Amino acid sequence: MGDYKRYISYLYRYINGTKDNNVGFVKLESKQGEVKLSINLKCKETIGLSMKLCMFYREDSTNLSEVKNFIDKGISLIEIDEYIQEGYDYSNTYRTSATNVFDSGKNIDNISGVIILINGGEVLAAEWDNSGIDVMDINKDKVNKEIDEGIISNIGMESIYKNIENDTMDKEDYSTDKEEMIWSDIKEEIIENVSIQKEKMDSEQININNQEDEFFNFNRFNESRIINKAMQEREIKEQKRNSFISRIFKNFPGMYPFEDDEILECVKFEPHDIGLFSMDKWPLANNSFLLHGFYTYRHLIFAQMQSRSKQKYILGVPGIFRDREKFMAHMFGFKGFKGVRNKPLENGEFGYWYLEIKL
């Protein structure tokens, strides 16, 4: 385990050289000579833009421990991938050698973090050596040129998205507006045609009711399309959610400390694993009650629970059922308790204080 390394760093958006909002996280694991890099990005401002994913290292440093002042050493980039962000969410995983990171000749010990160059001049960056990132060293014009012409000198993985057209747009954000515009144009055209016919024909021969029926039928057809599209989008979202949950239960260590069958699936968790959830759940990783339980018993649990007629997902903290601990658990949001034994709860019973995780 001597060569094992694991970093989880927040990914920040930089505007005009200034660190702005958090837009995701980067996770790196290095063991047995292989590096796995996972990117998780949620940013609507970068939808449809060309992105160049790079790792970076401090120039003239042979090891992260030698980096005292990043400004004196500068930044060099190792290109990994180039893609166009099609939607609000983007996630991907990359693998490379720990001793030759993406064919750069650099060891993983030299790598300081990740930088994503964006067509338009902005930069997304995450670091794990805590030496600071001065993105103003990356000139905006240079960033645009590098993305447009592909002139970053470091050798990396070739883009798998080069054939995607630059005019990609997020259909979720624009589909409703587009349909309303189409309906408005068609409606105006129909009204114009009716006016022309009225001039050519006798007013008694024009059936206004038929024209109104056409409008009514078209509107019903249009509404039906919108409803069907919304249902399809909900189904896709549900499929993605189920796939994400299945991967957790498949890849994390399984455990089942309970005597009854109320818990359907259960895996061992640690505080940093909370970073897999959406960003609104990340503060739980610093929850004082959760950390106290983890450092006392060295584990947490993530489980699927059968509750009456529905199923729910819970995050559990090991502890003892007693008044003092109950007060602390409730104060920090863990209002449920599940004992490990299949009998009525009594003071001193071991189990798990839990809260529901809505995914």
Side-chain angles (χ1 to χ4, degrees):
M1 294 295 290
D3 66 340
Y4 181 75
K5 291 180 178 62
R6 178 186 174 97
Y7 304 110
I8 297 180
S9 299
Y10 291 130
L11 191 63
Y12 288 96
R13 183 178 173 213
Y14 287 77
I15 302 177
N16 297 324
T18 303
K19 182 188 286 188
D20 196 61
N21 57 312
N22 183 310
V23 294
F25 68 94
V26 174
K27 182 169 73 173
L28 181 141
E29 289 182 284
S30 175
K31 61 181 178 180
Q32 298 178 348
E34 183 183 60
V35 174
K36 182 171 76 171
L37 177 69
S38 300
I39 307 295
N40 292 269
L41 171 65
K42 297 177 183 290
C43 186
K44 65 180 180 180
E45 288 82 6
T46 54
I47 294 173
L49 298 182
S50 177
M51 318 279 279
K52 187 179 288 290
L53 173 63
C54 307
M55 279 183 149
F56 73 88
Y57 58 92
R58 318 292 188 180
E59 293 179 2
D60 303 325
S61 83
T62 58
N63 192 287
L64 294 184
S65 62
E66 298 181 7
V67 178
K68 304 296 184 183
N69 187 345
F70 139 75
I71 297 176
D72 293 336
K73 298 182 180 298
I75 282 181
S76 290
L77 302 179
I78 301 173
E79 181 182 343
I80 301 175
D81 195 6
E82 184 176 359
Y83 62 92
I84 293 177
Q85 185 179 328
E86 295 186 344
Y88 173 69
D89 292 320
Y90 176 79
S91 62
N92 208 342
T93 300
Y94 303 87
R95 298 179 186 272
T96 186
S97 165
T99 57
N100 186 19
V101 177
F102 295 106
D103 299 327
S104 65
K106 292 291 181 180
N107 190 289
I108 192 62
D109 291 333
N110 305 128
I111 304 302
S112 300
V114 168
I115 284 179
I116 301 177
L117 308 175
I118 304 173
N119 187 6
E122 291 186 14
V123 174
L124 308 180
E127 58 164 338
W128 44 76
D129 65 358
N130 298 318
S131 297
I133 300 177
D134 186 357
V135 299
M136 293 305 289
D137 279 358
I138 305 175
N139 184 274
K140 284 188 174 183
D141 294 332
K142 185 179 179 183
V143 172
N144 290 334
K145 187 176 182 182
E146 286 172 338
I147 292 177
D148 293 339
E149 300 179 8
I151 62 169
I152 291 182
S153 59
N154 299 290
I155 301 174
M157 295 175 59
E158 292 187 3
S159 171
I160 61 173
Y161 296 109
K162 287 184 178 179
N163 294 326
I164 297 178
E165 296 181 356
N166 291 328
D167 61 349
T168 303
M169 62 191 302
D170 185 11
K171 295 181 180 178
E172 291 182 359
D173 291 341
Y174 299 103
S175 60
T176 302
D177 292 340
K178 185 176 180 181
E179 289 180 359
E180 289 177 356
M181 292 172 63
I182 293 172
W183 163 238
S184 178
D185 292 343
I186 293 176
K187 183 176 179 180
E188 290 178 3
E189 183 178 351
I190 293 175
I191 293 174
E192 182 179 354
N193 289 336
V194 170
S195 299
I196 294 173
Q197 293 299 322
K198 286 179 68 176
E199 294 176 1
K200 294 181 177 179
M201 300 175 62
D202 189 270
S203 60
E204 294 180 354
Q205 296 176 348
I206 299 176
N207 190 341
I208 302 300
N209 291 331
N210 289 340
Q211 295 293 334
E212 292 176 352
D213 288 342
E214 289 181 14
F215 281 114
F216 178 73
N217 291 334
F218 180 83
N219 193 39
R220 289 184 59 185
F221 172 73
N222 203 36
E223 289 178 354
S224 176
R225 288 178 58 203
I226 295 173
I227 293 172
N228 290 338
K229 182 176 178 61
M231 292 177 62
Q232 291 173 358
E233 290 172 350
R234 281 197 296 269
E235 290 176 359
I236 292 172
K237 185 176 181 180
E238 182 68 17
Q239 290 173 0
K240 288 182 179 179
R241 185 181 74 91
N242 292 337
S243 175
F244 166 71
I245 295 171
S246 297
R247 289 199 301 271
I248 290 180
F249 286 125
K250 179 180 179 181
N251 295 321
F252 280 74
M255 61 180 298
Y256 199 92
F258 305 101
E259 292 182 352
D260 62 14
D261 56 359
E262 184 181 17
I263 300 298
L264 304 179
E265 291 186 273
C266 182
V267 293
K268 187 177 179 181
F269 238 49
E270 295 185 10
H272 59 251
D273 296 323
I274 295 172
L276 294 172
F277 300 143
S278 58
M279 284 190 286
D280 62 304
K281 309 295 189 307
W282 290 358
L284 286 171
N286 295 318
N287 184 290
S288 297
F289 180 78
L290 180 146
L291 292 175
H292 173 74
F294 173 75
Y295 288 117
T296 302
Y297 297 97
R298 308 308 300 175
H299 75 282
L300 308 170
I301 63 169
F302 176 71
Q304 183 182 21
M305 172 184 282
Q306 181 70 39
S307 177
R308 296 181 182 177
S309 61
K310 68 174 185 177
Q311 297 175 3
K312 63 182 180 181
Y313 300 95
I314 63 170
L315 181 66
V317 177
I320 305 297
F321 186 75
R322 55 192 172 206
D323 291 340
R324 175 185 173 89
E325 193 159 324
K326 179 180 180 181
F327 173 79
M328 296 299 296
H330 283 216
M331 186 170 68
F332 286 94
F334 291 82
K335 298 183 179 181
F337 186 85
K338 170 71 178 170
V340 297
R341 301 182 65 183
N342 188 16
K343 69 172 190 176
L345 281 175
E346 298 178 357
N347 279 334
E349 189 81 20
F350 177 78
Y352 292 85
W353 299 98
Y354 67 83
L355 57 75
E356 182 176 358
I357 297 291
K358 294 184 178 180
L359 301 175

